[in-house]
Amino acid sequence: MAEEGPQLFVRRFETEDLPVVHALLAKDASARIFGHVAADYLAETSLFAVTVLSGENPVGFAFMNDFPPALEAKDEEDMLPERENWEQWLVGKYGEKGINASNSLWLRLFLADYMFSHEALDAIARTTFATIPTLHNLLVLRGAGSPPSEAVDEVFEMIEHADPTQKVGTLAKKRAWTGVCTRKTFIPSLRVRRAVLEDYDDLVPIFEEQSEQLKERYGEFFLADLISASQTD
């Protein structure tokens, strides 16, 4: 039997969590991908901040905002964005026109106990998309020569450079790069329509699994009757 992963719960960040944030910052080298971090400032100014719990113990944190971190460019080719121009920068460097401040957030800091790092970031992304219906993209900006972060590298996909001569690979990752994870990866796209009788066979197992009392109370064909009634309204 395969072992189940850790049971994690995501809630809103609380100021009482700050001591744990500072403790993780002191020992999590991968946090350096986000540049110089002032955790107290992020706690006060982030648009969205969450804490990941294992039981009652905080094991991970994420702080998000609608602009990227201010990282220092190592050379002219890095050409990092500023707070006011990141949307234009994203178009110029990557050709991305559908990502903007209206549908995207930047991950400004992610911290986690090493035992939970990937599961924590996955839970954070899933919860963030589920909580904010208008959010379609989570972005991360990694500084040039920053230490590896397996969780960030697995959850976020590097955006292809608009210049075809800039190939993605080991050399590219030595420079600053931008990653994205999208809503559709974590939250399936659903469309609502009026039920039709042809849906009956698909819906019956769902209804029977959810409540055995419905069939006993309303009869064997209550679902078909319900669908028929809705079509005559």
Side-chain angles (χ1 to χ4, degrees), residues 9-154:
F9 172 73
V10 181
R11 62 160 169 79
R12 291 274 187 172
F13 175 82
E14 299 174 354
T15 54
E16 290 78 6
D17 299 327
L18 273 172
V20 186
V21 172
H22 290 301
L24 284 176
L25 269 175
K27 63 181 182 181
D28 188 355
S30 66
R32 294 203 301 272
I33 71 172
F34 299 98
H36 175 71
V37 172
D40 295 62
Y41 176 77
L42 284 177
E44 293 179 2
T45 61
S46 294
L47 289 180
F48 194 67
V50 293
T51 298
V52 183
L53 302 176
S54 175
E56 296 183 357
N57 301 315
V59 296
F61 304 93
F63 299 88
M64 287 157 268
N65 223 321
D66 57 358
F67 57 91
L71 300 181
E72 181 181 352
K74 300 298 182 181
D75 54 50
E76 292 184 0
E77 292 185 7
D78 276 341
M79 200 176 71
L80 299 179
E82 297 179 359
R83 176 172 180 168
E84 296 81 9
N85 74 344
W86 72 262
E87 292 170 305
Q88 296 92 328
W89 171 84
L90 210 60
V91 173
K93 188 169 185 178
Y94 299 106
E96 288 288 347
K97 298 181 180 179
I99 299 177
N100 53 62
S102 299
N103 62 19
S104 308
L105 285 177
W106 288 86
L107 182 63
R108 298 294 305 276
L109 176 63
F110 165 68
L111 293 166
D113 185 297
Y114 74 94
M115 294 179 61
F116 302 94
S117 57
H118 184 275
E119 292 83 0
L121 186 54
D122 188 270
I124 287 166
R126 190 177 305 277
T127 300
T128 302
F129 284 120
T131 305
I132 309 175
T134 57
L135 184 69
H136 289 273
N137 309 287
L138 275 177
L139 301 164
V140 64
L141 181 64
R142 288 192 54 163
S146 59
S149 172
E150 292 185 4
V152 171
D153 290 348
E154 290 181 20

Side-chain angles (χ1 to χ4, degrees), residues 81-227:
E82 297 179 359
R83 176 172 180 168
E84 296 81 9
N85 74 344
W86 72 262
E87 292 170 305
Q88 296 92 328
W89 171 84
L90 210 60
V91 173
K93 188 169 185 178
Y94 299 106
E96 288 288 347
K97 298 181 180 179
I99 299 177
N100 53 62
S102 299
N103 62 19
S104 308
L105 285 177
W106 288 86
L107 182 63
R108 298 294 305 276
L109 176 63
F110 165 68
L111 293 166
D113 185 297
Y114 74 94
M115 294 179 61
F116 302 94
S117 57
H118 184 275
E119 292 83 0
L121 186 54
D122 188 270
I124 287 166
R126 190 177 305 277
T127 300
T128 302
F129 284 120
T131 305
I132 309 175
T134 57
L135 184 69
H136 289 273
N137 309 287
L138 275 177
L139 301 164
V140 64
L141 181 64
R142 288 192 54 163
S146 59
S149 172
E150 292 185 4
V152 171
D153 290 348
E154 290 181 20
V155 173
F156 287 83
E157 181 180 356
M158 180 188 290
I159 302 177
E160 294 283 356
H161 202 292
D163 183 351
T165 64
Q166 300 288 329
K167 295 182 179 180
V168 174
T170 304
L171 178 61
K173 286 197 174 185
K174 288 183 179 179
R175 298 174 180 164
W177 62 271
T178 306
V180 62
C181 68
T182 60
R183 165 177 287 273
K184 63 183 179 182
T185 304
F186 296 91
I187 307 293
S189 297
L190 303 177
R191 184 171 63 90
V192 179
R193 62 163 170 79
R194 184 181 292 272
V196 295
L197 285 174
E198 287 76 9
D199 297 329
Y200 179 81
D201 291 338
D202 295 323
L203 293 175
V204 165
I206 299 174
F207 273 74
E208 290 182 344
E209 181 181 353
Q210 300 277 333
S211 176
E212 296 179 357
Q213 296 178 350
L214 289 174
K215 186 176 180 180
E216 296 176 2
R217 177 173 296 182
Y218 298 108
E220 183 176 357
F221 301 105
F222 83 96
L223 182 56
D225 295 339
L226 187 64
I227 294 174

